[in-house]
Amino acid sequence: MLAKLYANRWIHYHHCFWYARWIRYSFSAPKNFVRLCNSTELIEIINEARLSSHQPWEQELIERTIKYIIGEKTSGISVYNADTRDVFDPGHALAVIAGTISQEDFRVARGKKRKSHCSKSSLIIPVSCLSESTSYKFTPAGNLNFHPASERHFDLSVSDPVELAKSILNGISQGSIAWSFMGNSKKMQGSYRFQALIAYSHCLTIFGEIDHIKPPSKWINGKDLNASEQIETLKHLTDSASFYSSTDIS
Amino acid sequence: MNYSRRLSQNQSGSNPSSQWNTLTFVGDQLFKPPTDIQDKQEYFSSPQNNFKALTLIRVLRAWNEQQKTTQLNLGREKIPQMLMLQNQTSSFPNQQVVQLSDEVQEHFRNLHKKLDDEKSLYENAQAIVAWIEETEQEYECQTIIAALLESLPVLSSHILLATLNNAEILIVNFDLLNVVSYLLGSENKRVAQSAATYLLVCGGELGERLFQAKLDSGTLPHSPLIQGISKLLC
């Protein structure tokens, strides 16, 4: 009887805890939005926006921005909140992992190879850079497969994609929008492993020790990946096995 | 219909002209076969086909080294006898080098169509790159990609380069390296930029040197954009 009472009380506190977090992220204004994009197309758009000295922007560049950054959508444009514009911000790292973790090529069983459509690079867009026709909504359910990023997930809606594209191009050319190109090559500014390590470290501060065999109870299953698979894939991406082995040797 | 690249080792009694007539390469877009010896000589002696001839020779050399076969005659007239791309149903007694499934061939053909649908082109390019990633014949596949890139419509060419770069397919083949560096000089700014990105990210030290040499030559139509890519990535 007493055990049942404690169990009910624990469930109550657990719900309160998540409700409080939901309230926090629902009502605290996001600062920057991380948007994941096709790597090569993003590099070219950034390059042209930085070098273009003639505005208004070329129609062809606006169209490519709508296609490859906004995703030719007017609603449900998936973004994640980051507190800073730094590519090492935990918000950015969680966004990168959340945006790519469900790709089967990232799974442990598939080794380290990643197919071309899994590769992403990112823009970190201050909310102040968004056009007036753009609105955002806190949508944790829109984050499908990496629970720690749910509290940072937002959906953008835009009534005038051309205006938003111009705002993004202006932000890039003026240096107010940051970006990161991710890959395994040394030429890329960032790497998936770096981002996975930051996300993993952040998860440790939130959940304590994380083990894929016995996932934390607060870590919720995703649409395609359960909690255990999410943790296992995150650990795989950090390539942390090498750390453990070096520790064992010493 | 399946095509495979084949190396003839036993040509006795076979008619070179008839073999040459069977030469094709993933559709008619890449290699349009001449019909007789005279045409063949003209075909390979013209500068625009010289690269293709060299590509074929390099494939043969690589294959020969790999298989440790006896010396091959790489004379101009012998090329069609040695490198064959022919229907699987043929009874020609060759050894298979690279097998292209119907599905992969279809993706190649789709890239050759002048489509404006970038999403569809990306899907085809991604399927081709997935095929490269899974093959054990990386070098030979990159030779095919080199020849393909040279003949594609500009939008397809850009998208294939972008897809190769996104997948970080390291360039291990000199033909591919040459073609990508050649495309730095494309009049199309998207092709030029994706070639620059791919060369810098996946071309290794040689790629960087070729990149710099092309940039220093001062002949690139989109030189400021190419320099911009270099600043972004380096």
Side-chain angles (χ1 to χ4, degrees), chain A residues 27-212:
Chain A
F27 296 102
S28 65
K31 293 174 184 168
N32 305 280
F33 284 133
V34 179
R35 174 74 176 157
L36 300 175
C37 314
N38 176 317
S39 277
T40 309
E41 297 289 352
L42 182 62
I43 289 171
E44 293 177 20
I45 290 169
I46 289 172
N47 190 36
E48 289 178 48
R50 287 176 79 216
L51 294 175
S52 179
S53 55
H54 52 279
Q55 291 187 23
W57 298 103
E58 283 178 29
Q59 186 58 30
E60 186 267 344
L61 184 58
I62 291 172
E63 283 169 13
R64 262 191 289 147
T65 305
I66 292 172
K67 190 174 284 177
Y68 289 106
I69 295 178
I70 303 174
E72 294 182 298
K73 289 179 174 178
T74 52
S75 63
I77 302 164
S78 181
V79 291
Y80 292 84
N81 179 26
D83 293 335
T84 70
R85 289 188 307 143
D86 197 308
V87 295
F88 298 121
D89 188 287
H92 179 260
L94 291 170
V96 170
I97 301 304
T100 49
I101 195 169
S102 66
Q103 307 287 351
E104 66 173 25
D105 300 72
F106 270 29
R107 307 285 169 73
V108 179
R110 290 288 303 239
K112 290 179 184 172
K113 276 202 168 182
R114 188 179 67 250
K115 281 189 177 167
S116 50
H117 55 272
C118 303
S119 287
K120 303 282 182 197
S121 286
S122 66
L123 279 182
I124 310 174
I125 308 168
V127 173
S128 58
C129 276
L130 296 175
S131 58
E132 287 180 4
S133 65
T134 308
S135 60
Y136 57 83
K137 187 180 173 187
F138 178 58
T139 52
N143 173 56
L144 302 178
N145 285 304
F146 187 55
H147 170 69
S150 292
E151 63 188 28
R152 293 173 178 272
H153 189 269
F154 288 77
D155 277 342
L156 299 185
S157 296
V158 56
S159 57
D160 187 349
V162 172
E163 192 193 359
L164 177 58
K166 287 178 182 172
S167 299
I168 291 171
L169 291 170
N170 287 337
I172 293 168
S173 71
Q174 291 159 9
S176 51
I177 291 178
W179 58 80
S180 167
F181 308 134
M182 280 160 294
N184 295 323
S185 164
K186 289 176 185 171
K187 285 284 174 195
M188 297 305 213
Q189 290 174 335
S191 76
Y192 280 99
R193 188 176 173 227
F194 265 139
Q195 297 299 326
L197 285 167
I198 294 165
Y200 185 64
S201 171
H202 179 76
C203 291
L204 290 176
T205 61
I206 300 291
F207 297 96
E209 197 166 319
I210 48 178
D211 182 355
H212 71 276

